[in-house]
Amino acid sequence: MIETPLLRTILRNVGEEVERAQAKFPPFNSGHEGYAVIKEELDELWDHVKGNTAYSPAAMIEAQQVAAMGVRYMLMVAQKGYQK
């Protein structure tokens, strides 16, 4: 994997968002719930894209939340038994 300072910062921020979400919310109860949460965050990002604010700090936060919820989903899958 190619690592750059920017990539490290982004991944650290996503990890911090995962930690905040885990502290605030219980694990997903099901794949359906995980999908719904990811979709909600993605819809919020889409609102920025449609509203011509795709490159704003708020859009960056939404993208970070999409990534973090994806990681939370991956954690759920791994805890249910699948691990690569």
Coordinates of all heavy atoms in Angstrom, one line a residue:
M1 N 0.8 -1.2 0.0 CA 0.0 0.0 0.0 C 0.9 1.2 0.0 O 1.8 1.3 0.7 CB -0.9 0.0 1.2 CG -1.8 1.2 1.3 SD -3.1 1.0 2.5 CE -2.5 1.8 3.9
I2 N 0.5 2.2 -0.8 CA 1.3 3.4 -0.9 C 0.8 4.3 0.2 O -0.4 4.6 0.4 CB 1.1 4.1 -2.2 CG1 1.6 3.3 -3.4 CG2 1.7 5.5 -2.3 CD1 1.2 3.8 -4.7
E3 N 1.7 4.7 1.1 CA 1.3 5.6 2.2 C 1.9 7.0 2.0 O 3.0 7.2 1.6 CB 1.8 5.0 3.5 CG 1.1 3.8 3.9 CD 1.3 3.4 5.4 OE1 1.4 4.4 6.2 OE2 1.4 2.3 5.7
T4 N 1.0 7.9 2.3 CA 1.4 9.3 2.2 C 1.0 10.0 3.5 O 0.1 9.4 4.2 CB 0.7 10.1 1.1 OG1 -0.7 10.1 1.3 CG2 1.0 9.4 -0.3
P5 N 1.5 11.1 3.9 CA 1.0 11.8 5.1 C -0.5 12.1 5.0 O -1.2 11.9 6.0 CB 1.8 13.1 5.1 CG 3.1 12.7 4.4 CD 2.7 11.8 3.3
L6 N -1.0 12.5 3.9 CA -2.4 12.7 3.8 C -3.2 11.5 4.0 O -4.2 11.5 4.7 CB -2.7 13.4 2.4 CG -4.2 13.7 2.1 CD1 -4.8 14.6 3.2 CD2 -4.4 14.3 0.7
L7 N -2.8 10.4 3.4 CA -3.5 9.1 3.6 C -3.5 8.7 5.0 O -4.5 8.3 5.6 CB -3.0 8.0 2.7 CG -3.6 6.6 2.9 CD1 -5.1 6.6 2.6 CD2 -2.9 5.6 2.0
R8 N -2.4 8.8 5.7 CA -2.3 8.5 7.1 C -3.2 9.3 7.9 O -3.9 8.8 8.9 CB -0.9 8.6 7.6 CG 0.0 7.4 7.2 CD 1.3 7.4 8.0 NE 2.2 8.6 7.7 CZ 3.0 8.6 6.6 NH1 3.1 7.6 5.8 NH2 3.7 9.7 6.4
T9 N -3.3 10.6 7.6 CA -4.2 11.5 8.4 C -5.7 11.1 8.1 O -6.5 11.0 9.1 CB -4.0 13.0 7.9 OG1 -2.7 13.3 8.2 CG2 -5.0 13.9 8.6
I10 N -6.0 10.8 6.9 CA -7.4 10.4 6.6 C -7.8 9.1 7.3 O -8.8 9.0 7.9 CB -7.6 10.3 5.1 CG1 -7.6 11.7 4.4 CG2 -8.9 9.5 4.7 CD1 -7.6 11.7 2.9
L11 N -6.9 8.1 7.3 CA -7.2 6.9 7.9 C -7.3 7.0 9.5 O -8.1 6.4 10.1 CB -6.1 5.8 7.6 CG -6.2 5.4 6.1 CD1 -5.0 4.4 5.8 CD2 -7.5 4.7 5.7
R12 N -6.4 7.9 10.0 CA -6.5 8.2 11.4 C -7.8 8.8 11.8 O -8.5 8.4 12.8 CB -5.3 9.1 11.9 CG -5.3 9.3 13.4 CD -4.2 10.3 13.9 NE -4.6 11.6 13.4 CZ -3.8 12.3 12.5 NH1 -2.7 11.9 12.1 NH2 -4.2 13.5 12.2
N13 N -8.3 9.8 11.0 CA -9.5 10.4 11.2 C -10.7 9.5 11.1 O -11.6 9.5 11.9 CB -9.7 11.6 10.3 CG -8.8 12.7 10.5 OD1 -8.2 12.8 11.6 ND2 -8.7 13.6 9.5
V14 N -10.7 8.5 10.2 CA -11.7 7.5 10.0 C -11.7 6.6 11.3 O -12.7 6.3 11.9 CB -11.5 6.7 8.8 CG1 -12.5 5.5 8.8 CG2 -11.8 7.6 7.5
G15 N -10.5 6.2 11.7 CA -10.4 5.4 12.9 C -11.0 6.1 14.2 O -11.7 5.5 15.0
E16 N -10.7 7.4 14.3 CA -11.2 8.2 15.4 C -12.8 8.3 15.3 O -13.4 8.2 16.3 CB -10.6 9.6 15.4 CG -9.2 9.5 15.9 CD -8.4 10.8 15.7 OE1 -9.0 11.8 15.2 OE2 -7.2 10.9 16.1
E17 N -13.3 8.4 14.1 CA -14.7 8.4 13.9 C -15.4 7.1 14.3 O -16.4 7.0 14.9 CB -15.1 8.8 12.5 CG -16.6 8.9 12.2 CD -17.2 10.1 12.9 OE1 -16.5 11.1 13.2 OE2 -18.4 10.0 13.3
V18 N -14.7 6.0 13.9 CA -15.2 4.6 14.3 C -15.2 4.6 15.9 O -16.2 4.1 16.4 CB -14.3 3.5 13.8 CG1 -14.6 2.2 14.4 CG2 -14.4 3.5 12.3
E19 N -14.2 5.0 16.5 CA -14.1 5.0 18.0 C -15.2 5.8 18.6 O -15.9 5.4 19.6 CB -12.8 5.4 18.5 CG -11.7 4.4 18.2 CD -10.3 4.9 18.5 OE1 -10.1 6.1 18.9 OE2 -9.3 4.1 18.4
R20 N -15.5 7.0 18.1 CA -16.6 7.8 18.6 C -17.9 7.2 18.4 O -18.8 7.1 19.3 CB -16.6 9.2 17.8 CG -15.7 10.2 18.4 CD -15.9 11.6 17.8 NE -15.7 11.7 16.4 CZ -14.5 11.9 15.8 NH1 -13.4 12.1 16.6 NH2 -14.4 12.0 14.5
A21 N -18.1 6.6 17.2 CA -19.4 5.9 17.0 C -19.6 4.7 17.9 O -20.7 4.4 18.4 CB -19.5 5.5 15.5
Q22 N -18.5 3.9 18.1 CA -18.6 2.8 19.0 C -18.9 3.2 20.4 O -19.6 2.4 21.1 CB -17.3 1.9 18.9 CG -17.2 1.2 17.6 CD -15.9 0.4 17.5 OE1 -14.8 0.9 17.8 NE2 -16.0 -0.9 17.1
A23 N -18.4 4.3 20.8 CA -18.6 4.8 22.2 C -20.1 5.3 22.4 O -20.7 5.2 23.4 CB -17.6 5.9 22.6
K24 N -20.6 5.8 21.3 CA -21.9 6.4 21.3 C -23.1 5.5 21.0 O -24.2 5.6 21.6 CB -22.0 7.6 20.4 CG -23.2 8.5 20.5 CD -23.0 9.8 19.7 CE -24.3 10.6 19.8 NZ -24.2 11.9 19.1
F25 N -22.9 4.5 20.1 CA -23.9 3.7 19.6 C -23.5 2.2 19.8 O -22.4 1.8 19.7 CB -24.2 3.9 18.1 CG -24.5 5.3 17.8 CD1 -23.6 6.2 17.2 CD2 -25.8 5.8 18.1 CE1 -24.0 7.5 16.9 CE2 -26.1 7.1 17.8 CZ -25.2 8.0 17.2
P26 N -24.5 1.3 20.0 CA -24.2 -0.1 20.1 C -23.8 -0.6 18.7 O -24.1 0.0 17.7 CB -25.5 -0.7 20.6 CG -26.6 0.2 20.2 CD -25.9 1.6 20.2
P27 N -23.3 -1.8 18.7 CA -22.9 -2.4 17.4 C -24.2 -2.6 16.6 O -25.3 -2.7 17.1 CB -22.4 -3.8 17.8 CG -21.9 -3.7 19.2 CD -22.9 -2.7 19.8
F28 N -24.1 -2.7 15.3 CA -25.2 -2.9 14.4 C -25.9 -4.3 14.8 O -25.2 -5.2 15.1 CB -24.8 -3.0 12.9 CG -24.2 -1.8 12.4 CD1 -23.1 -1.8 11.6 CD2 -24.7 -0.5 12.7 CE1 -22.5 -0.7 11.0 CE2 -24.1 0.6 12.2 CZ -23.0 0.5 11.4
N29 N -27.2 -4.3 14.8 CA -27.9 -5.5 15.2 C -28.0 -6.5 14.0 O -28.2 -7.7 14.3 CB -29.3 -5.1 15.6 CG -29.4 -4.4 17.0 OD1 -28.8 -4.9 17.9 ND2 -30.0 -3.3 17.0
S30 N -27.8 -6.0 12.8 CA -27.9 -6.8 11.7 C -27.3 -6.2 10.5 O -26.9 -5.0 10.5 CB -29.4 -7.1 11.3 OG -30.0 -5.9 10.9
G31 N -27.1 -7.0 9.4 CA -26.6 -6.4 8.2 C -27.6 -5.3 7.6 O -27.1 -4.3 7.1
H32 N -28.9 -5.5 7.8 CA -29.8 -4.5 7.4 C -29.6 -3.2 8.1 O -29.7 -2.1 7.4 CB -31.3 -5.0 7.6 CG -31.7 -6.1 6.7 ND1 -31.5 -7.4 7.0 CD2 -32.3 -6.1 5.5 CE1 -32.0 -8.2 6.0 NE2 -32.5 -7.4 5.1
E33 N -29.4 -3.2 9.4 CA -29.2 -2.0 10.1 C -27.9 -1.3 9.7 O -27.8 -0.1 9.4 CB -29.1 -2.2 11.6 CG -28.9 -0.9 12.4 CD -28.8 -1.1 13.9 OE1 -28.7 -2.3 14.4 OE2 -28.9 -0.1 14.6
G34 N -26.8 -2.1 9.5 CA -25.6 -1.6 9.1 C -25.7 -0.9 7.7 O -25.2 0.2 7.5
Y35 N -26.4 -1.6 6.8 CA -26.6 -1.0 5.5 C -27.4 0.3 5.6 O -27.0 1.3 4.9 CB -27.4 -2.0 4.6 CG -27.9 -1.4 3.3 CD1 -27.0 -1.3 2.2 CD2 -29.1 -0.9 3.2 CE1 -27.5 -0.7 1.0 CE2 -29.6 -0.3 2.0 CZ -28.7 -0.2 0.9 OH -29.2 0.4 -0.2
A36 N -28.4 0.3 6.4 CA -29.2 1.5 6.5 C -28.4 2.7 7.0 O -28.6 3.8 6.6 CB -30.4 1.3 7.4
V37 N -27.5 2.4 8.0 CA -26.7 3.5 8.6 C -25.7 4.0 7.5 O -25.5 5.2 7.3 CB -26.0 3.1 9.8 CG1 -24.9 4.1 10.3 CG2 -27.0 2.8 10.9
I38 N -25.1 3.1 6.8 CA -24.2 3.5 5.7 C -24.9 4.3 4.7 O -24.4 5.4 4.2 CB -23.5 2.3 5.1 CG1 -22.5 1.6 6.1 CG2 -22.7 2.7 3.8 CD1 -22.1 0.2 5.7
K39 N -26.1 3.8 4.3 CA -26.9 4.6 3.3 C -27.3 6.0 3.7 O -27.2 6.9 3.0 CB -28.1 3.8 2.9 CG -28.9 4.4 1.7 CD -30.1 3.6 1.3 CE -30.8 4.2 0.1 NZ -31.1 5.6 0.2
E40 N -27.6 6.1 5.0 CA -28.0 7.4 5.5 C -26.8 8.4 5.4 O -26.9 9.5 5.0 CB -28.4 7.3 7.0 CG -28.7 8.6 7.6 CD -29.1 8.5 9.1 OE1 -29.4 7.3 9.6 OE2 -29.1 9.5 9.8
E41 N -25.6 7.9 5.8 CA -24.4 8.7 5.7 C -24.1 9.0 4.2 O -23.7 10.2 3.9 CB -23.2 8.1 6.4 CG -23.4 7.9 7.9 CD -23.6 9.1 8.6 OE1 -23.3 10.2 8.1 OE2 -24.1 9.0 9.8
L42 N -24.3 8.1 3.3 CA -24.0 8.3 1.9 C -25.0 9.3 1.3 O -24.6 10.1 0.5 CB -24.1 6.9 1.2 CG -23.6 7.0 -0.3 CD1 -22.2 7.4 -0.4 CD2 -23.8 5.6 -0.9
D43 N -26.2 9.2 1.8 CA -27.3 10.1 1.3 C -26.9 11.6 1.7 O -27.1 12.5 1.0 CB -28.6 9.8 1.8 CG -29.2 8.6 1.1 OD1 -28.7 8.1 0.1 OD2 -30.2 8.0 1.7
E44 N -26.3 11.7 2.9 CA -25.9 13.0 3.4 C -24.8 13.5 2.5 O -24.7 14.7 2.2 CB -25.6 13.0 4.9 CG -26.8 12.8 5.7 CD -26.5 12.5 7.2 OE1 -25.3 12.6 7.6 OE2 -27.5 12.2 8.0
L45 N -23.8 12.7 2.2 CA -22.8 13.1 1.3 C -23.3 13.4 -0.1 O -22.9 14.5 -0.7 CB -21.7 11.9 1.2 CG -20.6 12.2 0.2 CD1 -19.8 13.4 0.6 CD2 -19.7 11.0 0.2
W46 N -24.3 12.7 -0.6 CA -24.9 12.9 -1.9 C -25.5 14.3 -1.9 O -25.5 15.0 -2.9 CB -25.9 11.8 -2.2 CG -26.6 12.0 -3.5 CD1 -28.0 11.9 -3.7 CD2 -26.1 12.2 -4.8 NE1 -28.3 12.0 -5.0 CE2 -27.2 12.2 -5.7 CE3 -24.8 12.3 -5.3 CZ2 -27.0 12.4 -7.1 CZ3 -24.6 12.5 -6.7 CH2 -25.7 12.6 -7.5
D47 N -26.1 14.7 -0.8 CA -26.7 16.1 -0.7 C -25.7 17.1 -0.9 O -26.0 18.1 -1.6 CB -27.4 16.3 0.7 CG -28.7 15.5 0.9 OD1 -29.2 15.0 -0.1 OD2 -29.1 15.3 2.1
H48 N -24.5 16.9 -0.4 CA -23.4 17.9 -0.7 C -23.0 17.9 -2.1 O -22.8 19.0 -2.7 CB -22.2 17.6 0.2 CG -22.4 18.0 1.6 ND1 -22.3 19.3 2.0 CD2 -22.6 17.2 2.7 CE1 -22.5 19.3 3.3 NE2 -22.7 18.1 3.8
V49 N -22.9 16.7 -2.7 CA -22.6 16.6 -4.2 C -23.6 17.4 -5.0 O -23.3 18.2 -5.8 CB -22.4 15.2 -4.6 CG1 -22.2 15.1 -6.1 CG2 -21.3 14.5 -3.9
K50 N -24.9 17.1 -4.7 CA -26.0 17.8 -5.5 C -26.0 19.3 -5.2 O -26.4 20.0 -6.1 CB -27.3 17.1 -5.1 CG -27.5 15.7 -5.6 CD -28.9 15.2 -5.3 CE -29.2 15.2 -3.8 NZ -30.5 14.6 -3.5
G51 N -25.6 19.7 -4.0 CA -25.7 21.1 -3.6 C -24.5 21.9 -3.9 O -24.3 23.0 -3.4
N52 N -23.6 21.3 -4.7 CA -22.4 22.0 -5.1 C -21.5 22.3 -4.0 O -20.7 23.3 -4.0 CB -22.7 23.2 -6.0 CG -21.6 23.6 -6.9 OD1 -20.8 22.8 -7.3 ND2 -21.5 24.9 -7.2
T53 N -21.5 21.5 -2.9 CA -20.6 21.7 -1.8 C -19.8 20.4 -1.6 O -19.4 20.1 -0.5 CB -21.3 22.0 -0.5 OG1 -22.3 21.0 -0.2 CG2 -22.0 23.4 -0.6
A54 N -19.5 19.7 -2.7 CA -18.8 18.4 -2.6 C -17.4 18.5 -2.1 O -16.8 17.5 -1.6 CB -18.8 17.7 -4.0
Y55 N -16.8 19.7 -2.2 CA -15.4 19.9 -1.8 C -15.3 20.7 -0.5 O -14.3 21.3 -0.2 CB -14.6 20.5 -2.9 CG -14.6 19.6 -4.1 CD1 -15.3 20.0 -5.2 CD2 -13.9 18.4 -4.2 CE1 -15.4 19.1 -6.4 CE2 -13.9 17.6 -5.3 CZ -14.6 18.0 -6.4 OH -14.7 17.2 -7.5
S56 N -16.4 20.7 0.3 CA -16.4 21.5 1.5 C -16.0 20.7 2.7 O -15.9 19.4 2.6 CB -17.8 22.0 1.8 OG -18.7 20.9 2.1
P57 N -15.6 21.3 3.8 CA -15.3 20.6 5.0 C -16.4 19.7 5.5 O -16.2 18.6 6.0 CB -15.0 21.7 6.0 CG -14.5 22.9 5.2 CD -15.4 22.8 3.9
A58 N -17.7 20.2 5.3 CA -18.8 19.3 5.7 C -18.9 18.1 4.9 O -19.2 17.0 5.4 CB -20.1 20.2 5.6
A59 N -18.6 18.2 3.6 CA -18.6 17.0 2.7 C -17.5 16.0 3.1 O -17.7 14.8 3.1 CB -18.5 17.4 1.3
M60 N -16.4 16.6 3.5 CA -15.3 15.7 4.0 C -15.7 14.9 5.2 O -15.4 13.7 5.3 CB -14.0 16.6 4.3 CG -12.9 15.8 4.7 SD -12.2 14.7 3.5 CE -10.5 15.0 3.6
I61 N -16.4 15.6 6.1 CA -16.9 14.9 7.3 C -17.9 13.8 7.0 O -17.8 12.7 7.5 CB -17.5 15.9 8.3 CG1 -16.4 16.8 8.9 CG2 -18.3 15.2 9.4 CD1 -16.9 18.0 9.7
E62 N -18.8 14.1 6.0 CA -19.7 13.1 5.6 C -19.0 11.9 5.0 O -19.4 10.7 5.2 CB -20.8 13.6 4.7 CG -21.7 14.6 5.3 CD -22.5 14.1 6.5 OE1 -22.7 12.9 6.6 OE2 -22.9 14.9 7.3
A63 N -18.0 12.1 4.1 CA -17.2 11.0 3.5 C -16.5 10.2 4.6 O -16.5 9.0 4.5 CB -16.2 11.6 2.5
Q64 N -16.0 10.9 5.6 CA -15.4 10.2 6.7 C -16.4 9.3 7.5 O -16.0 8.2 7.8 CB -14.8 11.3 7.7 CG -14.1 10.8 8.9 CD -13.6 11.9 9.7 OE1 -12.7 12.6 9.2 NE2 -14.1 12.2 10.9
Q65 N -17.6 9.8 7.6 CA -18.6 9.0 8.3 C -19.0 7.8 7.5 O -19.3 6.7 8.0 CB -19.8 9.9 8.7 CG -19.4 10.9 9.8 CD -20.5 11.9 10.1 OE1 -21.5 12.1 9.3 NE2 -20.4 12.5 11.2
V66 N -19.1 8.0 6.2 CA -19.4 6.8 5.3 C -18.3 5.8 5.5 O -18.6 4.6 5.7 CB -19.5 7.3 3.8 CG1 -19.5 6.1 2.9 CG2 -20.6 8.2 3.6
A67 N -17.0 6.2 5.4 CA -15.9 5.2 5.6 C -16.0 4.6 7.0 O -15.8 3.4 7.1 CB -14.6 6.0 5.4
A68 N -16.2 5.4 8.0 CA -16.2 4.8 9.4 C -17.4 3.8 9.5 O -17.2 2.8 10.2 CB -16.4 6.0 10.4
M69 N -18.5 4.1 9.0 CA -19.6 3.1 9.1 C -19.3 1.9 8.3 O -19.7 0.8 8.7 CB -21.0 3.8 8.7 CG -21.4 4.9 9.6 SD -21.5 4.5 11.3 CE -19.9 5.3 11.9
G70 N -18.6 2.0 7.2 CA -18.2 0.8 6.5 C -17.2 0.0 7.3 O -17.3 -1.2 7.3
V71 N -16.3 0.6 8.0 CA -15.4 -0.1 8.9 C -16.2 -0.8 10.0 O -16.0 -1.9 10.4 CB -14.3 0.8 9.5 CG1 -13.6 0.2 10.6 CG2 -13.4 1.3 8.4
R72 N -17.2 -0.1 10.6 CA -18.0 -0.7 11.6 C -18.8 -1.9 11.1 O -18.9 -2.9 11.8 CB -19.1 0.3 12.2 CG -18.4 1.4 13.1 CD -19.5 2.1 13.9 NE -19.9 1.3 15.0 CZ -21.2 1.4 15.5 NH1 -22.0 2.3 15.1 NH2 -21.5 0.7 16.5
Y73 N -19.2 -1.8 9.8 CA -19.8 -3.0 9.2 C -18.8 -4.1 9.1 O -19.2 -5.3 9.4 CB -20.4 -2.6 7.8 CG -21.3 -3.7 7.3 CD1 -22.7 -3.5 7.4 CD2 -20.8 -4.8 6.6 CE1 -23.5 -4.5 6.9 CE2 -21.7 -5.8 6.1 CZ -23.0 -5.6 6.2 OH -23.9 -6.6 5.7
M74 N -17.6 -3.8 8.7 CA -16.6 -4.8 8.6 C -16.3 -5.5 9.9 O -16.1 -6.7 10.0 CB -15.3 -4.2 8.0 CG -15.5 -3.8 6.5 SD -14.1 -2.8 5.9 CE -12.9 -4.0 5.8
L75 N -16.3 -4.7 11.0 CA -16.0 -5.2 12.3 C -17.2 -6.2 12.7 O -16.9 -7.2 13.3 CB -16.0 -4.1 13.3 CG -14.7 -3.2 13.3 CD1 -14.8 -2.0 14.1 CD2 -13.5 -4.0 13.7
M76 N -18.4 -5.8 12.4 CA -19.5 -6.7 12.7 C -19.4 -8.0 11.9 O -19.5 -9.1 12.5 CB -20.8 -6.0 12.2 CG -22.1 -6.9 12.4 SD -23.6 -6.3 11.6 CE -23.1 -6.4 9.9
V77 N -19.0 -8.0 10.7 CA -18.8 -9.2 9.9 C -17.7 -10.0 10.5 O -17.8 -11.2 10.6 CB -18.6 -8.9 8.4 CG1 -18.2 -10.1 7.6 CG2 -19.8 -8.2 7.8
A78 N -16.6 -9.4 10.8 CA -15.5 -10.1 11.4 C -15.8 -10.8 12.7 O -15.4 -11.9 13.0 CB -14.3 -9.2 11.6
Q79 N -16.6 -10.1 13.5 CA -17.0 -10.6 14.8 C -18.0 -11.8 14.7 O -18.1 -12.6 15.6 CB -17.6 -9.5 15.7 CG -16.5 -8.5 16.1 CD -17.1 -7.2 16.7 OE1 -18.3 -7.0 16.7 NE2 -16.2 -6.5 17.3
K80 N -18.7 -11.8 13.5 CA -19.6 -12.9 13.3 C -18.9 -14.1 12.7 O -19.6 -15.1 12.5 CB -20.8 -12.5 12.3 CG -21.6 -11.3 12.8 CD -22.6 -11.8 13.9 CE -23.5 -10.6 14.3 NZ -24.3 -11.0 15.4
G81 N -17.6 -14.0 12.5 CA -16.9 -15.2 12.1 C -16.0 -15.1 10.8 O -15.1 -15.8 10.7
Y82 N -16.4 -14.2 9.9 CA -15.6 -14.0 8.7 C -14.3 -13.2 9.0 O -14.4 -12.1 9.5 CB -16.3 -13.4 7.6 CG -15.4 -13.1 6.4 CD1 -15.2 -14.2 5.5 CD2 -14.8 -11.9 6.2 CE1 -14.4 -13.9 4.4 CE2 -14.0 -11.7 5.1 CZ -13.8 -12.7 4.2 OH -12.9 -12.5 3.1
Q83 N -13.2 -13.7 8.6 CA -11.9 -13.0 8.7 C -11.1 -13.4 7.6 O -10.9 -14.6 7.3 CB -11.2 -13.2 10.0 CG -12.0 -12.6 11.2 CD -11.2 -12.8 12.5 OE1 -10.1 -13.1 12.5 NE2 -11.9 -12.5 13.6
K84 N -10.5 -12.4 6.9 CA -9.6 -12.7 5.8 C -8.2 -13.0 6.3 O -7.7 -12.4 7.1 CB -9.6 -11.6 4.8 CG -8.8 -11.9 3.5 CD -9.0 -10.8 2.5 CE -8.2 -11.2 1.3 NZ -8.3 -10.2 0.3

